[in-house]
Amino acid sequence: MKKKLQFQVSINAPVGRVYDAMLGLSDKSTYEQWTALFNPTSTYEGSWDKGNKMLFLGVDDQGEKGGMVSQIAENIPNQFVSIQHVGLLQAGKEIMEGPDVEQWANGFENYTFTEADGRTTIMVELDATEDFSAYMNETYPGALEKLKAICEQPS
């Protein structure tokens, strides 16, 4: 059973800068820094363009590369990004069916960006399984605070 989770952060920076840093567009390390709270080796392979496949990756305790196989369902620059999770990557292989995938399949992670008076608010909405919700509720706010710190650094 999936639950919808919501997280929000307000960042004292223009939306273009926040969008760029969150997705790691001009410097992938900004993405890797804020997502390191989920996995210290967190990264991605692919493109943020609508319709493209994206692998969200990290190395697990056994040194195996794994993560999510996703598709960019929508990307309206500086406004909205929707990621649809379609499978898992385990030990370098894409797994598109089975019980582990079924709990995630067609789950979405959506980012909505709103700017007012030079401040940007990001609303994150995601589908999470019951047992993953507690982890996300604990980890996501800290990750967004990290993103806020990155965006608010003087350039």
Side-chain angles (χ1 to χ4, degrees):
M1 172 100 181
K2 287 195 192 105
K3 290 174 76 166
K4 269 232 180 291
L5 304 180
Q6 271 194 349
F7 306 99
Q8 189 172 311
V9 65
S10 181
I11 299 173
N12 192 18
V15 71
R17 183 169 179 179
V18 173
Y19 171 84
D20 183 274
M22 187 169 201
L23 305 187
L25 296 178
S26 54
D27 179 357
K28 195 190 242 184
S29 77
T30 58
Y31 171 88
E32 293 167 343
Q33 286 170 52
W34 79 269
T35 58
L37 277 81
F38 301 106
N39 180 323
T41 60
S42 181
T43 190
Y44 64 82
E45 288 173 15
S47 153
W48 289 99
D49 295 334
K50 180 178 177 173
N52 280 3
K53 183 167 95 171
M54 181 72 96
L55 300 177
F56 294 98
L57 306 168
V59 176
D60 67 19
D61 301 338
Q62 288 75 48
E64 292 284 354
K65 191 152 85 166
M68 306 291 289
V69 179
S70 305
Q71 182 170 7
I72 305 304
E74 185 60 85
N75 186 344
I76 303 165
N78 302 331
Q79 292 176 46
F80 182 71
V81 176
S82 179
I83 303 162
Q84 182 177 16
H85 299 303
V86 294
L88 296 172
L89 188 79
Q90 292 175 330
K93 290 192 178 66
E94 289 183 23
I95 300 165
M96 305 309 277
E97 55 190 24
D100 288 347
V101 173
E102 280 158 24
Q103 14 179 352
W104 284 104
N106 298 316
F108 283 87
E109 191 169 334
N110 295 330
Y111 307 143
T112 303
F113 301 83
T114 318
E115 183 179 351
D117 303 322
R119 290 186 71 79
T120 301
T121 301
I122 304 172
M123 168 71 76
V124 179
E125 292 178 292
L126 59 107
D127 298 316
T129 54
E130 192 70 48
D131 52 349
F132 210 56
S133 293
Y135 170 77
M136 284 304 206
N137 281 323
E138 202 172 288
T139 312
Y140 226 112
L144 290 176
E145 284 303 312
K146 178 71 181 163
L147 178 64
K148 177 181 170 79
I150 292 164
C151 294
E152 291 181 351
Q153 285 171 5
S155 40

